[in-house]
Amino acid sequence: MRVLVVGGAGYIGSHMCKLLAGRGHEVVVFDNLVTGHREALRWGRFVEGSLHDAAALDALFTQHRFDAVIQFAASIAVGESVREPLDYYRNNVGGTLELLTTMKRHGVRRLVFSSTAAIFGTPQYSPIDENHPHAPLSPYGHSKLMAEQVLRDAAAAGHLDAVALRYFNAAGADPEGELGEAHDPETHLIPLLLKAALGQVPPVTVFGSDYDTEDGTCVRDYIHICDLCEAHLLALSYLQDNPGFSAFNLGNGKGYSVKQVLAVVAQTIGRAVPTVMGPRRAGDPARLIASSELARSKLGWQPKMPELETIIRTAWRWHQAPGF
């Protein structure tokens, strides 16, 4: 297939490009490089541009005949979305609308959309399956849910076929060490801990130690970045025989507390990571764990690197010698 990867210079997008190219697909990347990394663009053809530029999108789709599109481009920081909600709705909803409009005009039907567990809000039960009520706690979560609704409506009108993949906590790095996670600012726990261990950032704050969990700290479901990308490839295949709109949760189905992550990081790198205890953050649920049974049964997805030790080991390898 010839696949357009929107946001292909980012963390998940760049890993996706490597996987697609390795499986023999032709890759075209469209990215504005605001948060992505030019150094990660090692697979496929790169076109620099913004989803808010309708003329640039039209030129892109005129030049290439795409079989499918994978949409990663988005603003992703929950706290920032609270401070700058308009930016998040503009980027995550407005940008996706421009992309879908261009796809419709050029007759490109298949889309895999990067969604999030943030659409669920505080869990009413665990693990969280696809039938869980939607109650986002932030503009980020609301923006992703709105985009999903747009996809659902467009599919119902016969304009496209789409799969939304709802990530829990993407983590880890390319096992070959060519790609890794580098956000600025970094807000994700595992890379923050590794950067603190390397002396690149201050001690990491553990937000809350009095949750109703086994050790009092928040519990999260971590999924290796390569397993996540495999699910996208399976979703592309799924769309060939399953038109309309579908959504799948992606996680390992097992949660790890912040203290457990700290312990595994310390074991992996051979020393303790500097941390400080802080109060709870508003809106942080005690535990977020996915049920991915639907993805397993419908997509045939099976995580190959579910162990936290493997996730952290691959991340540590990259952080010791990052390529960007």
Side-chain angles (χ1 to χ4, degrees):
M1 294 181 290
R2 179 179 292 161
V3 182
L4 173 63
V5 181
V6 183
Y11 172 45
I12 303 174
S14 59
H15 283 79
M16 189 73 231
C17 291
K18 179 177 180 178
L19 176 63
L20 285 166
R23 299 290 173 84
H25 301 291
E26 184 180 346
V27 178
V28 177
V29 175
F30 188 70
D31 198 300
N32 62 10
L33 297 180
V34 171
T35 57
H37 301 274
R38 189 179 295 273
E39 298 85 350
L41 295 166
R42 305 176 194 173
W43 297 272
R45 178 176 179 178
F46 173 54
V47 178
E48 186 171 355
S50 167
L51 286 179
H52 303 297
D53 187 340
L57 276 173
D58 194 63
L60 177 69
F61 277 76
T62 299
Q63 183 177 0
H64 301 279
R65 179 64 185 177
F66 296 113
D67 297 297
V69 177
I70 305 179
Q71 156 63 328
F72 293 109
S75 300
I76 63 169
V78 171
E80 183 183 58
S81 79
V82 176
R83 298 189 299 272
E84 302 292 344
L86 298 183
D87 288 346
Y88 273 67
Y89 291 119
R90 178 175 183 268
N91 288 336
N92 297 355
V93 182
T96 299
L97 276 171
E98 287 289 354
L99 176 63
L100 299 181
T101 301
T102 306
M103 289 176 61
K104 179 187 174 188
R105 187 163 56 246
H106 289 267
V108 180
R109 292 192 58 88
R110 281 189 285 168
L111 175 75
V112 177
F113 178 72
S114 170
S115 193
T116 173
I119 69 168
F120 296 116
T122 302
Q124 296 184 16
Y125 56 84
S126 184
I128 299 171
D129 60 19
E130 286 77 7
N131 294 320
H132 190 283
H134 301 152
L137 299 173
S138 67
Y140 167 65
H142 278 291
S143 71
K144 286 291 192 175
L145 185 58
M146 286 181 184
E148 280 198 24
Q149 187 62 53
V150 172
L151 295 178
R152 192 183 303 272
D153 292 341
H159 299 323
L160 57 78
D161 304 308
V163 169
L165 298 176
R166 298 156 175 170
Y167 315 154
F168 278 62
N169 286 64
D174 168 37
E176 296 177 349
E178 294 185 293
L179 294 165
E181 185 172 9
H183 299 112
D184 184 20
E186 186 58 75
T187 59
H188 295 167
L189 178 62
I190 290 175
L192 272 177
L193 293 174
L194 298 178
K195 289 170 76 72
L198 291 166
Q200 297 171 355
V201 298
V204 177
T205 301
V206 177
F207 294 104
S209 58
D210 58 349
Y211 285 95
D212 183 19
T213 60
E214 289 75 5
D215 60 24
T217 60
C218 286
V219 172
R220 296 292 182 264
D221 186 335
Y222 295 91
I223 174 174
H224 195 280
I225 184 68
C226 292
D227 287 331
L228 197 70
C229 290
E230 285 283 354
H232 290 72
L233 201 55
L234 290 168
L236 287 178
S237 298
Y238 179 82
L239 282 171
Q240 294 179 11
D241 301 314
N242 297 272
F245 174 81
S246 303
F248 300 97
N249 295 352
L250 295 181
N252 279 322
K254 181 178 181 180
Y256 295 93
S257 72
V258 174
K259 287 184 178 179
Q260 286 176 311
V261 174
L262 275 166
V264 175
V265 168
Q267 180 182 5
T268 301
I269 70 176
R271 59 183 183 276
V273 180
T275 60
V276 295
M277 297 305 301
R280 293 188 185 191
R281 288 184 301 193
D284 264 352
R287 62 180 78 232
L288 285 173
I289 302 173
S291 168
S292 298
E293 292 307 310
L294 192 63
R296 294 171 189 262
S297 63
K298 297 293 186 181
L299 302 181
W301 179 65
Q302 181 65 45
K304 298 175 182 176
M305 291 181 278
E307 299 83 9
L308 183 61
E309 292 80 2
T310 304
I311 292 171
I312 290 173
R313 185 170 62 250
T314 59
W316 178 234
R317 175 182 178 181
W318 186 81
H319 275 280
Q320 290 179 96
F324 49 88

